[in-house]
Amino acid sequence: MRRLLLGVVAAAATLAFAGVASAQNFDDPKEFDAAKQLLEMKPEGPAGKPWEQHLGGKEVDTAKYKKPGPYHICFSNAGVNNPWRVVGWTDMQAQVDMLKGDIASFTHADAEGKDDKQISDINAFVSSGKCDILIVSPNTTAALTPAVEAACKALPVVVFDRGVLTECPVTFVNPIGGYGWGIQTANFIAEKLPKGGKVLALRILPGVDVLETRWSAANRIFKEKGIEVVGAEFTDGDNAKTKAIVEDYINRFGKIDAIWMDAGATAVAAIEAFEDAGQPYPIITGEDQEDFLVKWKKEGLTAFGPTYPTYQWRSPVIAAVKILKGEPVIGPTWKLPQPVITQETLDKYVDEKMPPLHYAMCGCEDMPGYPEKWGGKK
């Protein structure tokens, strides 16, 4: 069984980095199948610490990167431009505080959602000579690949969250990813949708691997099951735009039976469009954001909460320190568990003491300053 797990993750790793010289393929049947297998695996690692767990995978020897501490860690961040990233960034800073004996400095550059700025940030970090290791959360996949490849020639690199098209990082840390999300959410809708029901897909932005593969996997399942998708629209993660799009589709089609989302930050806005139109609530896939979870519980929605857990922001800091100590890490792809919230587990994650834009799968409850640093109340 262990060989099977290693083989699946190795295949996923190869596929994740394949195509450096070719066009990106966000609809790869092999990656789709690999994600299905990962969803069935049992995580390995410390109990109750999913940010340190892994699904299969193998250890990478990091002895060549070993050096005396404490360490200077640099972080090139795609942005702190949505609530998910705000929660993740808070997690990351708290993780740095927990490892302050090993970390002399932690320098953050916010790319503000701009490829050109992030490329400049990475180049500045490398040329400064002040970084022992570089952590990167890429803004978009293809555009950041050359900058990450150049950085790898100068120092060890850890990539997380969104990927790049190169094998050079010591490890790429993320949950199962977009294909897994798409499989989980589309299967839920397929199980609940009445015959002949109409689905509206809401997306936030193009060109990001984890978002593109969420949609390709879901759309593959919808097509296989003969489900009608009446539209796939980009919302830019904006509540007003989301609401306007949903209202337009309700007016055009009379009834929308299900809302599929590639990110759930504007799920409540989508639901409010149905309320304003006097329509019954749709089947909906949101995320683990508290405003959605509270709304789900209050209204008794037919809903599902996929997650791209923000606890993953803890993992690259832990990995960076291990690498600089010469300790092995999972790589070249480190797959974290990707749990979901269902009707049966909803109560566990609804917490009205936390702000509406908090993400429940933060893994932050044991961290210094919780819940106040995350905007919550004791």
Side-chain angles (χ1 to χ4, degrees), residues 29 69 79 91 101 260 324 353 365 378:
D91 269 24
W260 178 91
L324 294 173
K353 292 182 179 179
E365 293 83 1
K378 279 191 174 180

Side-chain angles (χ1 to χ4, degrees), residues 83 239 264-272 286-299 301 346 349-352 354-360:
N239 282 317
T266 60
V268 172
I271 293 165
E272 288 173 348
E287 204 166 346
D288 56 322
Q289 193 167 287
E290 282 295 338
D291 62 346
F292 171 66
L293 301 181
V294 169
K295 186 76 170 177
W296 173 0
K297 182 176 180 178
K298 180 182 177 182
E299 305 297 346
L301 303 176
L346 177 61
Y349 297 103
V350 172
D351 187 352
E352 297 194 40
M354 298 304 291
L357 303 185
H358 179 69
Y359 280 77

Side-chain angles (χ1 to χ4, degrees), residues 3 37 48-49 63 66 77 83 93 96 101 105 112 123-125 131 153 185 195 244 263 296-297 368 374:
R3 285 186 180 179
Q37 293 183 57
K49 295 183 177 181
K66 184 176 181 179
N77 188 2
Q93 293 173 90
V96 170
S105 67
E112 301 171 357
N123 291 341
F125 276 141
C131 306
K153 294 175 182 177
T185 51
K195 188 174 182 180
W296 173 0
K297 182 176 180 178
W374 286 259

Side-chain angles (χ1 to χ4, degrees), residues 14 20 78 81 90 104 133 140 204 206 233 257 286 362:
T14 301
V20 174
N81 48 6
T90 307
I133 194 166
T140 61
I204 54 171
E233 302 286 351
D257 299 280
C362 66

